[in-house]
Amino acid sequence: MKFYLKPVLSVLALATLLVYSGCGGGGDPGPTEEEKALTSLSATWKVAGGANNDVTLDGVSKKADYNGFTLTISGTAGAASYGYTTAGRPSLSAWPANGSWKFGDPLATDITRDPGTDKEVDIHYTVTGDQLELTFTYNQAGESRTDKVTGVWIFRMSK
């Protein structure tokens, strides 16, 4: 009986090893929601060009004032906050030259610009392909002049 037991135990041990070696480590889980959102936002966005691009303040087009405006959004997933820079701001602007931002809740649609500062603004965003729409209410002094920048701003930009 001992003669038959050794081959059976060997076969069982080998089968167990094969079963466990076939179990993968789960593979790559893919990008997180934060990584997906950051990837879609990270770019240089322009008001110029694009048939649907526009900037409005309380429903009135300000595209002519923002025709040279660009917003560059950047960051590394997992950071506490990310960065942005602007160029081509008009003298009357609700945007600082640069600053930081973080994801809001839900992160797929909301960010907070310049969190924890006197320039903090909650922004709702939508990215569709190469189009970005930002909507926010600005109730602070302008970055260059202190009047006529408060209200609901909508920026429609493209890459």
Side-chain angles (χ1 to χ4, degrees), residues 134-156:
L134 303 171
T135 304
F136 59 93
T137 300
Y138 193 76
N139 293 319
Q140 304 164 13
E143 290 303 312
S144 299
R145 291 185 2 206
T146 59
D147 60 350
K148 300 181 185 174
V149 293
T150 61
V152 177
W153 286 89
I154 299 174
F155 283 75
R156 292 182 186 96

Side-chain angles (χ1 to χ4, degrees), residues 114-137:
D114 299 312
T117 71
D118 62 344
K119 300 199 183 309
E120 182 174 308
V121 175
D122 292 325
I123 300 175
H124 179 79
Y125 75 91
T126 304
V127 178
T128 307
D130 65 349
Q131 294 292 126
L132 171 65
E133 181 173 301
L134 303 171
T135 304
F136 59 93
T137 300

Side-chain angles (χ1 to χ4, degrees), residues 13-26:
L14 183 59
T16 302
L17 283 174
L18 287 174
V19 167
Y20 281 111
S21 68
C23 294

Side-chain angles (χ1 to χ4, degrees), residues 2-13:
K2 287 184 178 181
F3 181 76
Y4 293 109
L5 188 57
K6 284 185 180 181
V8 170
L9 287 175
S10 296
V11 169
L12 284 174

